[in-house]
Amino acid sequence: MNVRSFQLSDYRPITALLEDVLTEECYEQTMEAFARQLSWDSDLVLVAVEHSEIVGMIIGTIDNNKGYYYRIAVSSLHQRKGIGKALVHGLRQRFEQRHVTKILITADEHNEPVLPLYESMGYASNDFFRSFQKLAIVTG
C-alpha cells in the first residue's frame, strides 16, 4: 500500500469512496470542505492506493497554525488493515514539516466512529476539536 498526495485523476474514485462510506449528510459536508482544501492546499489531501485502487483518503487542513485531521475514509472492504493509521501518519508528517503548533482531530458527529483510531495512535480527548464549525475549511 502506498500513501501519496491527491492527484486530479483521483477525483472520481475518491468521490465514489466517500459516497460509499459516508452518510448523505456527511458526504455533502465533506465534499464542500474537500473542494475548499483542494483549492487552498492539495498537499494536505492524501490517498491510500493498493494495487492501483484507491482504498482510503484523509483530508487535513491548517487553520491558525494548527493542523487538523478533518475527515478520513477507508473502503469498507479494506478496513482494519492499517490503512487509516497509515493515512494519519502520512498527514502528521506533512503537519510536522510545516511546523504547526498543535495537531487536532475534528470531532463532529460523523467522526465519532473513528475517534478510537486516533486514540489507538496516542491522541487523547484534549486533542479532539469539537468547535469544527469555526474552521475555514468548513465555513469557507
Side-chain angles (χ1 to χ4, degrees):
M1 187 220 359
N2 178 38
V3 173
R4 61 165 171 76
S5 295
F6 172 86
Q7 299 169 357
L8 192 54
S9 61
D10 299 332
Y11 187 79
R12 282 184 194 254
I14 288 293
T15 56
L17 169 70
L18 293 174
E19 270 186 308
D20 182 49
V21 300
L22 303 179
T23 65
E24 188 175 330
E25 178 187 1
C26 182
Y27 174 80
E28 297 298 326
Q29 290 175 5
T30 300
M31 289 306 293
E32 288 179 26
F34 178 44
R36 280 190 200 97
Q37 189 58 42
L38 286 179
S39 70
W40 294 340
D41 187 350
S42 62
D43 281 343
L44 296 179
V45 177
L46 302 181
V47 297
V49 181
E50 192 170 87
H51 306 295
S52 73
E53 175 191 0
I54 292 178
V55 295
M57 64 93 67
I58 191 167
I59 301 169
T61 193
I62 296 175
D63 205 328
N64 294 318
N65 204 37
K66 291 183 178 105
Y68 294 88
Y69 301 112
Y70 175 70
R71 188 77 72 223
I72 187 169
V74 175
S75 163
S76 53
L77 299 174
H78 297 276
Q79 292 178 1
R80 305 220 178 271
K81 295 181 180 178
I83 294 168
K85 287 182 179 181
L87 287 163
V88 170
H89 180 71
L91 189 52
R92 180 180 186 87
Q93 288 180 317
R94 304 271 169 112
F95 288 149
E96 289 172 351
Q97 290 168 352
R98 295 178 185 210
H99 308 288
V100 299
T101 56
K102 184 152 180 70
I103 299 173
L104 298 165
I105 298 104
T106 57
D108 62 9
E109 69 273 15
H110 306 297
N111 276 351
E112 288 293 330
V114 295
L115 295 183
L117 165 72
Y118 293 106
E119 289 170 337
S120 76
M121 296 182 73
Y123 291 96
S125 59
N126 62 337
D127 296 318
F128 299 153
F129 183 68
R130 299 196 186 275
S131 301
F132 72 97
Q133 292 289 356
K134 297 177 183 175
L135 287 175
I137 191 175
V138 175
T139 62

